[in-house]
Amino acid sequence: MLIAMAGLMACGEKSEETPASGIQPEHISMHTWVLDRLTLQFPPDATESDVSATNLDACERDDQYRFPSGSAFALSEGGVTCVGAGKSVFRDLSGGTWTYSSADSLLTMSRNFNSQVFKMVTLTPSVMHFRQSSIDYFGSESRYHFYFSAK
């Protein structure tokens, strides 16, 4: 259920934003990550609202995310298994590639014709936080924030 609409909306991060400072990209591939929390900002200057309970299924909350060197992205089921294909944007990208651009702090994950771009906000040895901006059909922007912890 994880943001199935993320693939349906026009997504992308604005490159004119200042890159996040202090990001050490090697931390991305040093750990296995677990998605802890999902928040929404609408409009983008609003306070983040936690939407984890309504947008994350139990089977997604224990999945393990790996970004190994060599650019392959992998998602592994945790103890609770998701049933069915296309459950989330990350599940659809698993087995694809990832790149990180330090110049603009953008994490890009791609598989086949699906490419998703995320703006890295925080990356430490224990926390990874990135966001994705979406523009709806009315031209309104919203931002989803993904908070991961190192396992």
PDB file of all heavy atoms in Angstrom, residues 49-74:
ATOM      1  N   SER A  49       3.025  15.448   8.801  1.00  0.00           N
ATOM      2  CA  SER A  49       2.019  14.616   9.464  1.00  0.00           C
ATOM      3  C   SER A  49       2.413  13.158   9.273  1.00  0.00           C
ATOM      4  O   SER A  49       2.702  12.737   8.151  1.00  0.00           O
ATOM      5  CB  SER A  49       0.636  14.832   8.843  1.00  0.00           C
ATOM      6  OG  SER A  49       0.228  16.165   8.999  1.00  0.00           O
ATOM      7  N   ASP A  50       2.407  12.394  10.351  1.00  0.00           N
ATOM      8  CA  ASP A  50       2.757  10.977  10.265  1.00  0.00           C
ATOM      9  C   ASP A  50       1.599  10.222   9.607  1.00  0.00           C
ATOM     10  O   ASP A  50       0.482  10.234  10.102  1.00  0.00           O
ATOM     11  CB  ASP A  50       3.034  10.417  11.656  1.00  0.00           C
ATOM     12  CG  ASP A  50       3.690   9.057  11.618  1.00  0.00           C
ATOM     13  OD1 ASP A  50       3.432   8.287  10.671  1.00  0.00           O
ATOM     14  OD2 ASP A  50       4.464   8.752  12.544  1.00  0.00           O
ATOM     15  N   VAL A  51       1.875   9.591   8.482  1.00  0.00           N
ATOM     16  CA  VAL A  51       0.857   8.831   7.748  1.00  0.00           C
ATOM     17  C   VAL A  51       1.227   7.343   7.686  1.00  0.00           C
ATOM     18  O   VAL A  51       0.703   6.599   6.855  1.00  0.00           O
ATOM     19  CB  VAL A  51       0.624   9.413   6.329  1.00  0.00           C
ATOM     20  CG1 VAL A  51       0.009  10.812   6.417  1.00  0.00           C
ATOM     21  CG2 VAL A  51       1.906   9.424   5.515  1.00  0.00           C
ATOM     22  N   SER A  52       2.119   6.923   8.559  1.00  0.00           N
ATOM     23  CA  SER A  52       2.579   5.528   8.571  1.00  0.00           C
ATOM     24  C   SER A  52       1.433   4.547   8.762  1.00  0.00           C
ATOM     25  O   SER A  52       1.340   3.539   8.049  1.00  0.00           O
ATOM     26  CB  SER A  52       3.612   5.320   9.681  1.00  0.00           C
ATOM     27  OG  SER A  52       4.695   6.203   9.537  1.00  0.00           O
ATOM     28  N   ALA A  53       0.566   4.829   9.714  1.00  0.00           N
ATOM     29  CA  ALA A  53      -0.511   3.885  10.038  1.00  0.00           C
ATOM     30  C   ALA A  53      -1.466   3.673   8.865  1.00  0.00           C
ATOM     31  O   ALA A  53      -1.970   2.573   8.671  1.00  0.00           O
ATOM     32  CB  ALA A  53      -1.273   4.361  11.268  1.00  0.00           C
ATOM     33  N   THR A  54      -1.695   4.703   8.072  1.00  0.00           N
ATOM     34  CA  THR A  54      -2.650   4.587   6.971  1.00  0.00           C
ATOM     35  C   THR A  54      -2.002   4.227   5.640  1.00  0.00           C
ATOM     36  O   THR A  54      -2.702   3.840   4.709  1.00  0.00           O
ATOM     37  CB  THR A  54      -3.439   5.897   6.792  1.00  0.00           C
ATOM     38  OG1 THR A  54      -2.510   6.976   6.600  1.00  0.00           O
ATOM     39  CG2 THR A  54      -4.314   6.179   8.003  1.00  0.00           C
ATOM     40  N   ASN A  55      -0.682   4.360   5.538  1.00  0.00           N
ATOM     41  CA  ASN A  55      -0.011   4.127   4.260  1.00  0.00           C
ATOM     42  C   ASN A  55       1.010   2.997   4.246  1.00  0.00           C
ATOM     43  O   ASN A  55       1.541   2.675   3.194  1.00  0.00           O
ATOM     44  CB  ASN A  55       0.676   5.415   3.789  1.00  0.00           C
ATOM     45  CG  ASN A  55      -0.316   6.425   3.295  1.00  0.00           C
ATOM     46  OD1 ASN A  55      -0.751   6.373   2.163  1.00  0.00           O
ATOM     47  ND2 ASN A  55      -0.698   7.349   4.167  1.00  0.00           N
ATOM     48  N   LEU A  56       1.310   2.436   5.401  1.00  0.00           N
ATOM     49  CA  LEU A  56       2.259   1.325   5.463  1.00  0.00           C
ATOM     50  C   LEU A  56       1.573   0.082   6.008  1.00  0.00           C
ATOM     51  O   LEU A  56       1.037   0.101   7.112  1.00  0.00           O
ATOM     52  CB  LEU A  56       3.447   1.664   6.375  1.00  0.00           C
ATOM     53  CG  LEU A  56       4.387   2.773   5.936  1.00  0.00           C
ATOM     54  CD1 LEU A  56       5.457   3.013   6.995  1.00  0.00           C
ATOM     55  CD2 LEU A  56       5.033   2.422   4.607  1.00  0.00           C
ATOM     56  N   ASP A  57       1.593  -0.982   5.240  1.00  0.00           N
ATOM     57  CA  ASP A  57       1.083  -2.255   5.732  1.00  0.00           C
ATOM     58  C   ASP A  57       2.112  -2.868   6.672  1.00  0.00           C
ATOM     59  O   ASP A  57       3.304  -2.554   6.594  1.00  0.00           O
ATOM     60  CB  ASP A  57       0.831  -3.221   4.564  1.00  0.00           C
ATOM     61  CG  ASP A  57      -0.344  -2.798   3.695  1.00  0.00           C
ATOM     62  OD1 ASP A  57      -1.218  -2.064   4.193  1.00  0.00           O
ATOM     63  OD2 ASP A  57      -0.375  -3.202   2.519  1.00  0.00           O
ATOM     64  N   ALA A  58       1.662  -3.754   7.549  1.00  0.00           N
ATOM     65  CA  ALA A  58       2.566  -4.426   8.489  1.00  0.00           C
ATOM     66  C   ALA A  58       3.696  -5.131   7.746  1.00  0.00           C
ATOM     67  O   ALA A  58       4.839  -5.157   8.217  1.00  0.00           O
ATOM     68  CB  ALA A  58       1.793  -5.416   9.343  1.00  0.00           C
ATOM     69  N   CYS A  59       3.401  -5.683   6.584  1.00  0.00           N
ATOM     70  CA  CYS A  59       4.428  -6.405   5.823  1.00  0.00           C
ATOM     71  C   CYS A  59       5.513  -5.475   5.279  1.00  0.00           C
ATOM     72  O   CYS A  59       6.600  -5.916   4.947  1.00  0.00           O
ATOM     73  CB  CYS A  59       3.790  -7.196   4.678  1.00  0.00           C
ATOM     74  SG  CYS A  59       2.993  -6.181   3.421  1.00  0.00           S
ATOM     75  N   GLU A  60       5.242  -4.182   5.190  1.00  0.00           N
ATOM     76  CA  GLU A  60       6.234  -3.223   4.705  1.00  0.00           C
ATOM     77  C   GLU A  60       7.116  -2.691   5.818  1.00  0.00           C
ATOM     78  O   GLU A  60       8.239  -2.265   5.581  1.00  0.00           O
ATOM     79  CB  GLU A  60       5.543  -2.039   4.031  1.00  0.00           C
ATOM     80  CG  GLU A  60       4.801  -2.435   2.779  1.00  0.00           C
ATOM     81  CD  GLU A  60       3.962  -1.310   2.247  1.00  0.00           C
ATOM     82  OE1 GLU A  60       3.015  -0.885   2.934  1.00  0.00           O
ATOM     83  OE2 GLU A  60       4.274  -0.853   1.133  1.00  0.00           O
ATOM     84  N   ARG A  61       6.613  -2.715   7.030  1.00  0.00           N
ATOM     85  CA  ARG A  61       7.326  -2.120   8.151  1.00  0.00           C
ATOM     86  C   ARG A  61       8.518  -2.947   8.611  1.00  0.00           C
ATOM     87  O   ARG A  61       9.339  -2.450   9.361  1.00  0.00           O
ATOM     88  CB  ARG A  61       6.369  -1.879   9.299  1.00  0.00           C
ATOM     89  CG  ARG A  61       5.267  -0.892   8.887  1.00  0.00           C
ATOM     90  CD  ARG A  61       4.512  -0.457  10.059  1.00  0.00           C
ATOM     91  NE  ARG A  61       5.233   0.718  10.522  1.00  0.00           N
ATOM     92  CZ  ARG A  61       4.680   1.734  11.153  1.00  0.00           C
ATOM     93  NH1 ARG A  61       3.443   1.704  11.452  1.00  0.00           N
ATOM     94  NH2 ARG A  61       5.381   2.752  11.527  1.00  0.00           N
ATOM     95  N   ASP A  62       8.606  -4.204   8.157  1.00  0.00           N
ATOM     96  CA  ASP A  62       9.763  -5.018   8.555  1.00  0.00           C
ATOM     97  C   ASP A  62      10.638  -5.410   7.362  1.00  0.00           C
ATOM     98  O   ASP A  62      11.563  -6.192   7.496  1.00  0.00           O
ATOM     99  CB  ASP A  62       9.312  -6.266   9.322  1.00  0.00           C
ATOM    100  CG  ASP A  62       8.510  -7.234   8.485  1.00  0.00           C
ATOM    101  OD1 ASP A  62       8.132  -6.886   7.346  1.00  0.00           O
ATOM    102  OD2 ASP A  62       8.252  -8.347   8.960  1.00  0.00           O
ATOM    103  N   ASP A  63      10.359  -4.841   6.194  1.00  0.00           N
ATOM    104  CA  ASP A  63      11.186  -5.124   5.026  1.00  0.00           C
ATOM    105  C   ASP A  63      12.587  -4.544   5.229  1.00  0.00           C
ATOM    106  O   ASP A  63      12.771  -3.546   5.923  1.00  0.00           O
ATOM    107  CB  ASP A  63      10.580  -4.510   3.762  1.00  0.00           C
ATOM    108  CG  ASP A  63       9.344  -5.252   3.286  1.00  0.00           C
ATOM    109  OD1 ASP A  63       9.068  -6.344   3.808  1.00  0.00           O
ATOM    110  OD2 ASP A  63       8.657  -4.723   2.394  1.00  0.00           O
ATOM    111  N   GLN A  64      13.557  -5.194   4.609  1.00  0.00           N
ATOM    112  CA  GLN A  64      14.942  -4.765   4.725  1.00  0.00           C
ATOM    113  C   GLN A  64      15.419  -4.254   3.370  1.00  0.00           C
ATOM    114  O   GLN A  64      15.255  -4.921   2.353  1.00  0.00           O
ATOM    115  CB  GLN A  64      15.807  -5.929   5.197  1.00  0.00           C
ATOM    116  CG  GLN A  64      15.385  -6.411   6.561  1.00  0.00           C
ATOM    117  CD  GLN A  64      16.162  -7.637   6.995  1.00  0.00           C
ATOM    118  OE1 GLN A  64      17.218  -7.941   6.460  1.00  0.00           O
ATOM    119  NE2 GLN A  64      15.627  -8.345   7.977  1.00  0.00           N
ATOM    120  N   TYR A  65      15.998  -3.063   3.380  1.00  0.00           N
ATOM    121  CA  TYR A  65      16.445  -2.387   2.169  1.00  0.00           C
ATOM    122  C   TYR A  65      17.965  -2.384   2.138  1.00  0.00           C
ATOM    123  O   TYR A  65      18.606  -2.033   3.128  1.00  0.00           O
ATOM    124  CB  TYR A  65      15.939  -0.940   2.150  1.00  0.00           C
ATOM    125  CG  TYR A  65      14.439  -0.826   2.172  1.00  0.00           C
ATOM    126  CD1 TYR A  65      13.717  -0.975   3.359  1.00  0.00           C
ATOM    127  CD2 TYR A  65      13.733  -0.566   1.013  1.00  0.00           C
ATOM    128  CE1 TYR A  65      12.338  -0.878   3.380  1.00  0.00           C
ATOM    129  CE2 TYR A  65      12.348  -0.462   1.022  1.00  0.00           C
ATOM    130  CZ  TYR A  65      11.668  -0.615   2.214  1.00  0.00           C
ATOM    131  OH  TYR A  65      10.299  -0.505   2.224  1.00  0.00           O
ATOM    132  N   ARG A  66      18.533  -2.766   0.988  1.00  0.00           N
ATOM    133  CA  ARG A  66      19.988  -2.776   0.835  1.00  0.00           C
ATOM    134  C   ARG A  66      20.365  -2.014  -0.431  1.00  0.00           C
ATOM    135  O   ARG A  66      19.726  -2.158  -1.466  1.00  0.00           O
ATOM    136  CB  ARG A  66      20.517  -4.203   0.737  1.00  0.00           C
ATOM    137  CG  ARG A  66      20.225  -4.986   1.986  1.00  0.00           C
ATOM    138  CD  ARG A  66      21.319  -5.816   2.591  1.00  0.00           C
ATOM    139  NE  ARG A  66      22.619  -5.845   1.989  1.00  0.00           N
ATOM    140  CZ  ARG A  66      23.688  -5.224   2.502  1.00  0.00           C
ATOM    141  NH1 ARG A  66      23.586  -4.512   3.584  1.00  0.00           N
ATOM    142  NH2 ARG A  66      24.856  -5.327   1.922  1.00  0.00           N
ATOM    143  N   PHE A  67      21.411  -1.224  -0.276  1.00  0.00           N
ATOM    144  CA  PHE A  67      21.974  -0.447  -1.374  1.00  0.00           C
ATOM    145  C   PHE A  67      23.457  -0.807  -1.486  1.00  0.00           C
ATOM    146  O   PHE A  67      24.327  -0.010  -1.164  1.00  0.00           O
ATOM    147  CB  PHE A  67      21.829   1.056  -1.100  1.00  0.00           C
ATOM    148  CG  PHE A  67      20.418   1.513  -0.939  1.00  0.00           C
ATOM    149  CD1 PHE A  67      19.787   1.460   0.301  1.00  0.00           C
ATOM    150  CD2 PHE A  67      19.717   2.019  -2.017  1.00  0.00           C
ATOM    151  CE1 PHE A  67      18.481   1.897   0.455  1.00  0.00           C
ATOM    152  CE2 PHE A  67      18.406   2.459  -1.867  1.00  0.00           C
ATOM    153  CZ  PHE A  67      17.787   2.397  -0.634  1.00  0.00           C
ATOM    154  N   PRO A  68      23.748  -2.035  -1.908  1.00  0.00           N
ATOM    155  CA  PRO A  68      25.152  -2.457  -1.942  1.00  0.00           C
ATOM    156  C   PRO A  68      25.962  -1.692  -2.983  1.00  0.00           C
ATOM    157  O   PRO A  68      25.410  -1.165  -3.949  1.00  0.00           O
ATOM    158  CB  PRO A  68      25.076  -3.938  -2.291  1.00  0.00           C
ATOM    159  CG  PRO A  68      23.759  -4.122  -2.949  1.00  0.00           C
ATOM    160  CD  PRO A  68      22.852  -3.072  -2.390  1.00  0.00           C
ATOM    161  N   SER A  69      27.266  -1.641  -2.756  1.00  0.00           N
ATOM    162  CA  SER A  69      28.155  -1.054  -3.756  1.00  0.00           C
ATOM    163  C   SER A  69      27.938  -1.808  -5.055  1.00  0.00           C
ATOM    164  O   SER A  69      27.674  -3.000  -5.063  1.00  0.00           O
ATOM    165  CB  SER A  69      29.606  -1.184  -3.312  1.00  0.00           C
ATOM    166  OG  SER A  69      29.797  -0.506  -2.094  1.00  0.00           O
ATOM    167  N   GLY A  70      28.050  -1.126  -6.144  1.00  0.00           N
ATOM    168  CA  GLY A  70      27.801  -1.751  -7.432  1.00  0.00           C
ATOM    169  C   GLY A  70      26.445  -1.371  -7.977  1.00  0.00           C
ATOM    170  O   GLY A  70      26.042  -1.799  -9.041  1.00  0.00           O
ATOM    171  N   SER A  71      25.704  -0.575  -7.223  1.00  0.00           N
ATOM    172  CA  SER A  71      24.475   0.061  -7.685  1.00  0.00           C
ATOM    173  C   SER A  71      23.231  -0.811  -7.786  1.00  0.00           C
ATOM    174  O   SER A  71      22.248  -0.408  -8.378  1.00  0.00           O
ATOM    175  CB  SER A  71      24.709   0.744  -9.037  1.00  0.00           C
ATOM    176  OG  SER A  71      25.690   1.727  -8.893  1.00  0.00           O
ATOM    177  N   ALA A  72      23.212  -2.019  -7.243  1.00  0.00           N
ATOM    178  CA  ALA A  72      21.984  -2.824  -7.249  1.00  0.00           C
ATOM    179  C   ALA A  72      21.170  -2.486  -6.006  1.00  0.00           C
ATOM    180  O   ALA A  72      21.718  -2.328  -4.930  1.00  0.00           O
ATOM    181  CB  ALA A  72      22.327  -4.307  -7.271  1.00  0.00           C
ATOM    182  N   PHE A  73      19.867  -2.365  -6.163  1.00  0.00           N
ATOM    183  CA  PHE A  73      18.976  -2.093  -5.034  1.00  0.00           C
ATOM    184  C   PHE A  73      18.197  -3.356  -4.734  1.00  0.00           C
ATOM    185  O   PHE A  73      17.678  -4.001  -5.647  1.00  0.00           O
ATOM    186  CB  PHE A  73      18.006  -0.958  -5.375  1.00  0.00           C
ATOM    187  CG  PHE A  73      16.879  -0.811  -4.398  1.00  0.00           C
ATOM    188  CD1 PHE A  73      17.111  -0.352  -3.113  1.00  0.00           C
ATOM    189  CD2 PHE A  73      15.582  -1.142  -4.744  1.00  0.00           C
ATOM    190  CE1 PHE A  73      16.069  -0.228  -2.204  1.00  0.00           C
ATOM    191  CE2 PHE A  73      14.536  -1.012  -3.854  1.00  0.00           C
ATOM    192  CZ  PHE A  73      14.789  -0.547  -2.573  1.00  0.00           C
ATOM    193  N   ALA A  74      18.119  -3.731  -3.461  1.00  0.00           N
ATOM    194  CA  ALA A  74      17.401  -4.960  -3.098  1.00  0.00           C
ATOM    195  C   ALA A  74      16.505  -4.720  -1.896  1.00  0.00           C
ATOM    196  O   ALA A  74      16.881  -4.039  -0.949  1.00  0.00           O
ATOM    197  CB  ALA A  74      18.392  -6.076  -2.780  1.00  0.00           C
TER     198      ALA A  74
END
